[in-house]
Amino acid sequence: MATVEFQEYEGDVVTFLVHQHDELKGLLSRVLGTQGAERQEAFDAVRESLARHEAAEEEVLRPLTRQAPGGDEEAAMRTGEEDRATEALALLERLDVGSIPFEVQFRTFEEAVLRHAEQEETHEFPLLRRTHDPETLRRARVAVEAVESGRRPPSTGRSTFAELLEQARRLFTRSA
C-alpha cells in the first residue's frame, strides 16, 4: 500500500523538498572541510540555498500545513525552528569563517538545520500527504520551483541571510 501511495504522490512538493534537504546536507557538509575563500564560498552557497528554500516553504508549504487539523501548531513549530536558524546565521555572518568560534557555531547551526529537516520529513510532510490530495501537492511543487528555477536572489556581495531571505521572498511574491 505504501508503494501505491508513493506513486500517487510522485513528483509532489514533498518529494521535491526532501530532495532539496539532501542537497542542503551536502552543502552543509562541505563548509568545514574547506578553508579560506573556498570555505566562504561554501558558506555563501548554504546561505543562498537556505534563503530560497525557506522563503518557498514559508509562502507555499506553511499555508497548506495550517489548513490541516493540528496544522497551526505544526507550522508554528517549524517556523520557530527556521527563525532560530536565521538568528544563528546572523551570528555566523559576523564571524570570520576561518575562526574557531565560526567552526563551533557552524556545527551547532548544522545540527539545528538537520534536525529541522528531519522534523519536517517526519511530521509536517506526512501531515500534508494525509490531508491534501496529490494534485494540490503537485501544484505546490510548481509554485516552489517558480522561486528557484533560475530566478535566484541576486548576489550582492556580502548580503546577510536576512537580506537573501527577503530577496527570495520578493521573487516568490512576484512569481505567484
Side-chain angles (χ1 to χ4, degrees):
M1 180 118 158
T3 305
V4 172
E5 181 178 315
F6 175 75
Q7 289 174 346
E8 182 180 5
Y9 283 92
E10 190 172 347
D12 72 351
V13 71
V14 170
T15 303
F16 183 73
L17 292 174
V18 168
H19 178 70
Q20 281 191 338
H21 287 171
D22 291 341
E23 289 176 351
L24 186 57
K25 288 172 191 173
L27 289 173
L28 287 163
S29 70
R30 284 187 29 224
V31 173
L32 296 182
T34 59
Q35 296 178 346
E38 194 177 344
R39 179 176 283 181
Q40 185 65 59
E41 289 173 16
F43 179 55
D44 289 345
V46 166
R47 292 169 48 245
E48 290 175 18
S49 179
L50 268 176
R52 289 188 309 276
H53 180 83
E54 296 306 334
E57 284 186 342
E58 182 181 299
E59 296 295 326
V60 178
L61 209 63
R62 296 294 126 65
L64 289 174
T65 300
R66 286 185 192 95
Q67 293 172 6
D72 284 333
E73 182 179 337
E74 182 66 32
M77 288 188 291
R78 301 297 75 86
T79 299
E81 293 164 358
E82 291 165 355
D83 290 345
R84 286 187 294 282
T86 299
E87 291 168 10
L89 269 171
L91 172 62
L92 284 167
E93 289 171 336
R94 292 190 301 268
L95 298 173
D96 177 346
V97 296
S99 71
I100 298 297
F102 177 88
E103 291 181 10
V104 170
Q105 285 298 119
F106 187 83
R107 284 186 182 97
T108 301
F109 166 74
E110 181 179 23
E111 289 173 16
V113 169
L114 296 176
R115 253 191 328 274
H116 171 70
E118 182 181 330
Q119 292 298 312
E120 285 181 336
E121 291 176 19
T122 58
H123 298 289
E124 186 174 23
F125 295 173
L127 175 66
L128 289 170
R129 283 194 171 159
R130 282 192 312 271
T131 58
H132 293 285
D133 64 276
E135 187 55 35
T136 297
L137 297 181
R138 281 192 282 278
R139 284 194 312 270
R141 177 188 177 150
V142 170
V144 166
E145 285 181 308
V147 177
E148 303 193 9
S149 64
R151 290 178 278 169
R152 296 182 175 172
S155 180
T156 56
R158 291 291 304 143
S159 299
T160 66
F161 178 75
E163 292 165 339
L164 292 170
L165 184 59
E166 188 54 36
Q167 290 169 359
R169 286 176 179 149
R170 282 195 303 271
L171 283 172
F172 181 80
T173 301
R174 278 189 240 143
S175 69

